[in-house]
Amino acid sequence: MTFSGVLALTALLLAAAPAPAVAESAPQSFSVGAMPALVLQAMVAPEIASRPGESVGAAVNRVEADAMEQSGNGAVERVDIITPHITDSHELELPYWKAPFYKAVHLPRWKPVMIGGFAVDLSPTKHVVFILLAAVLTMLTLVGAARAHSRDHRERGVPKGFAGGLEAMVLYLREEVVMKNIPHGGARYVPFILTLFFLILFANLLGLIPYGSTATGNISVTATLAIVTFIVVEVAGMRALGAGYLKTIFYWPSDMPIAIKLPMTLIMTPVEIVSKLTKPFALAIRLFANMTAGHIVVLALIGLIFSFASIASAAPLLMAVAIMMLEIFVAFLQAFIFALLSSVFIGQIVESH
């Protein structure tokens, strides 16, 4: 497994694990036994070396007592900067001029709606706000660039500035991503693919700015995008193939004798169905895991800065800056991959005949 695969798997496991609710006013007690084994070994090993006759248990107790004594009140307050950033919540963090330089604004809570005996909470959350903000930015950017392009084309014959740069990006996506993978009738799917790309791109970038949040780091958001893409893919197949669309579900080898057709159909039909379902699953997990993993790495490196609290903190600071630069590239890359794979899936089912 590659390093990126390990990061993605780690992010998925961390996001799936529920975070315990901790009161802000009550600091957690210090416990050496709750620490990871490698950290415990690193702390206790020097103590054992300084006193060769001391047992491991006594060294552990001494390390714990020293830490509690240094804390002053017998407890060490732990600050979690990773989980609140990558999980959803019903409050926003807005800039504030006093320490800690942010102010929590609680979003409105609505009464749950009962659907089929289940209570569905439709209250807005932090990720809902940022995915809506990404949608607004997508609309303003594309509509504004289109109007500027029309005005410049009418006055000068060629676009300039931001509209010209955005035109180059749109033309590349149209010609190299959509039309290359959907050669017949691909023009009708260009608006959908462009919307996917820019919506995901803005959602990714909003998580890299201060007080921002990555909506695409929420599996519900990426799953919704994948389900919408799945519906578009299947409807495109129905329109292009007609009754032949059923062959993409039920495997029926027409060039084989009936004695082979029946067992092949029974065996391969579940495989065809699973292959349809794995496509949106892969789209959702890939985008979610990559965006979450990057933030975990950045926040972990930032945490090391406060842990070292010395000249050695310059190393994790430089690494955090490098990872942030990589995250900007990943934001563009993941939006491009989602758009590319969506085009490939549409092209596969449209051209299957």
Side-chain angles (χ1 to χ4, degrees):
M1 183 179 293
T2 62
F3 178 70
S4 59
V6 174
L7 289 180
L9 180 59
T10 305
L12 181 59
L13 293 176
L14 288 176
V22 180
E24 295 181 359
S25 58
Q28 300 179 5
S29 299
F30 180 84
S31 176
V32 173
M35 301 182 69
L38 291 177
V39 178
L40 178 61
Q41 182 180 2
M43 294 179 63
V44 176
E47 301 296 330
I48 297 177
S50 62
R51 300 184 182 181
E54 188 177 29
S55 64
V56 176
V60 170
N61 293 334
R62 188 154 53 85
V63 169
E64 182 175 10
D66 292 342
M68 294 178 65
E69 182 180 354
Q70 292 176 4
S71 64
N73 56 1
V76 174
E77 184 177 359
R78 298 176 182 176
V79 179
D80 185 3
I81 65 172
I82 296 180
T83 304
H85 185 78
I86 64 176
T87 55
D88 203 0
S89 66
H90 287 278
E91 62 180 28
L92 293 175
E93 293 180 356
L94 299 180
Y96 193 61
W97 64 278
K98 291 183 178 180
F101 306 108
Y102 74 89
K103 189 173 184 179
V105 177
H106 295 276
L107 297 172
R109 299 297 299 270
W110 300 336
K111 185 178 179 180
V113 178
M114 300 301 297
I115 300 179
F118 296 94
V120 180
D121 188 5
L122 299 179
S123 302
T125 63
K126 176 173 60 176
H127 287 164
V128 171
V129 172
F130 276 92
I131 195 65
L132 290 177
L133 180 58
V136 171
L137 290 175
T138 300
M139 180 182 66
L140 293 178
T141 301
L142 295 181
V143 173
R147 291 184 175 180
H149 180 277
S150 300
R151 182 180 63 253
D152 292 338
H153 185 75
R154 183 174 57 255
E155 295 176 356
R156 302 178 180 84
V158 292
K160 67 172 186 176
F162 179 75
L166 195 61
E167 180 193 22
M169 184 181 297
V170 169
L171 287 178
Y172 176 81
L173 291 173
R174 181 184 187 277
E175 300 299 329
E176 300 297 329
V177 175
V178 181
M179 301 307 296
K180 287 289 183 66
N181 293 290
I182 317 175
H184 297 92
R188 68 177 63 179
Y189 301 104
V190 171
F192 172 71
I193 300 299
L194 288 177
T195 303
L196 274 181
F197 174 81
F198 284 100
L199 177 64
I200 295 173
L201 176 61
F202 279 115
N204 293 345
L205 293 177
L206 285 174
L208 300 179
I209 63 176
Y211 307 100
S213 181
T214 308
T216 46
N218 189 327
I219 187 62
S220 299
V221 174
T222 59
T224 302
L225 292 173
I227 291 172
V228 171
T229 303
F230 174 76
I231 294 174
V232 172
V233 170
E234 298 306 311
V235 171
M238 295 176 187
R239 296 182 61 180
L241 303 178
Y245 170 78
L246 295 176
K247 293 183 179 180
T248 65
I249 302 177
F250 304 101
Y251 184 81
W252 185 254
S254 56
D255 56 343
M256 295 183 180
I258 190 66
I260 300 179
K261 286 182 180 181
L262 291 179
M264 287 294 294
T265 299
L266 294 176
I267 296 173
M268 295 303 298
T269 296
V271 175
E272 293 289 340
I273 296 175
V274 170
S275 67
K276 282 182 175 291
L277 299 179
T278 54
K279 292 175 181 177
F281 181 79
L283 288 175
I285 295 299
R286 177 183 287 106
L287 179 58
F288 156 73
N290 278 280
M291 299 312 302
T292 305
H295 287 283
I296 291 176
V297 173
V298 171
L299 293 171
L301 292 173
I302 293 176
L304 289 178
I305 298 174
F306 298 98
S307 299
F308 287 136
S310 65
I311 190 63
S313 61
L317 175 61
L318 295 177
M319 293 176 63
V321 173
I323 295 295
M324 282 295 293
M325 298 300 295
L326 180 62
E327 276 290 283
I328 297 176
F329 169 74
V330 171
F332 282 86
L333 179 63
Q334 291 304 316
F336 176 79
I337 290 177
F338 200 103
L340 175 63
L341 291 180
S342 299
S343 300
V344 170
F345 295 154
I346 295 174
Q348 285 179 342
I349 196 168
V350 169
E351 304 296 330
S352 61
H353 64 284

